[in-house]
């Protein structure tokens, strides 16, 4: 059996400020709702909340189960889906965190590197 999971829409609401030196206990509340579109093909909506770290994350997409017989979504399949979606959430949290740099660091950039950065922004 093979599972093809696609994430088509993501919503992340994170705290205004990045909590610093905060011990984060992963008290996670999650739910996945699925609707059958076709045999072994489902549309899903996943909601993840981390209770003591104010984050709300939702993902929507499709899951296809590649198997020769019809398969119902089991708890095991839902847990695999959750694990993947949680991984996506953690990656997005990492790339959306506040970034800071000093003006001195910026002025010390190599001219070629500075030009590449400026060209990629345009």
């Amino acid at each position: 059996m093979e599972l093809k999971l696609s994430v088509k829409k993501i919503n992340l609401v994170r705290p205004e400020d990045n909590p610093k030196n905060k011990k984060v206990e992963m008290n996670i509340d999650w739910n996945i709702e699925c609707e059958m579109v076709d045999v072994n093909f489902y549309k899903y909506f996943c909601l993840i909340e981390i209770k003591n770290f104010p984050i709300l994350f939702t993902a929507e997409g499709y899951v296809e189960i590649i198997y020769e017989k019809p398969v119902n979504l089991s708890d095991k399949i839902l847990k695999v889906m959750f694990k993947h979606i949680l991984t996506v959430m953690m990656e997005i949290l990492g790339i959306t965190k506040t970034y800071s740099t000093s003006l001195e660091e910026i002025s010390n950039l190599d001219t070629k590197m500075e030009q590449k950065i400026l060209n990629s922004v345009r």
Side-chain angles (χ1 to χ4, degrees):
M1 183 180 339
E2 182 183 350
L3 210 66
K4 288 188 177 183
L5 183 70
S6 64
V7 179
K8 299 294 183 188
K9 187 176 178 181
I10 294 174
N11 181 41
L12 171 69
V13 179
R14 58 178 296 141
E16 281 189 36
D17 296 321
N18 287 329
K20 300 207 178 129
N21 298 324
K22 182 176 182 175
K23 182 180 174 188
V24 177
E25 294 177 22
M26 296 301 271
N27 183 5
I28 298 175
D29 187 15
W30 64 280
N31 182 44
I32 298 178
E33 296 175 9
C34 297
E35 176 184 330
M36 184 184 273
V37 175
D38 201 352
V39 175
N40 293 346
F41 191 77
Y42 297 84
K43 181 178 181 178
Y44 73 86
F45 175 82
C46 178
L47 170 70
I48 299 174
E49 287 183 274
I50 301 177
K51 296 296 185 185
N52 57 337
F53 189 77
I55 291 176
L56 176 66
F57 182 80
T58 61
E60 294 179 49
Y62 297 94
V63 62
E64 181 178 6
I65 303 166
I66 311 294
Y67 197 65
E68 59 272 0
K69 299 180 201 171
V71 176
N72 290 324
L73 289 177
S74 66
D75 286 345
K76 190 174 187 176
I77 292 172
L78 291 174
K79 287 178 183 176
V80 169
M81 292 170 64
F82 168 70
K83 182 180 176 188
H84 176 73
I85 294 166
L86 185 64
T87 301
V88 169
M89 182 190 85
M90 297 307 285
E91 289 177 12
I92 290 173
L93 280 174
I95 62 174
T96 61
K97 68 182 180 185
T98 302
Y99 174 78
S100 63
T101 188
S102 71
L103 291 176
E104 188 174 291
E105 286 179 47
I106 294 171
S107 65
N108 290 336
L109 285 174
D110 179 56
T111 306
K112 289 180 182 179
M113 178 61 98
E114 187 175 354
Q115 192 59 47
K116 284 182 182 179
I117 292 170
L118 290 173
N119 289 339
S120 70
V121 173
R122 291 183 190 156

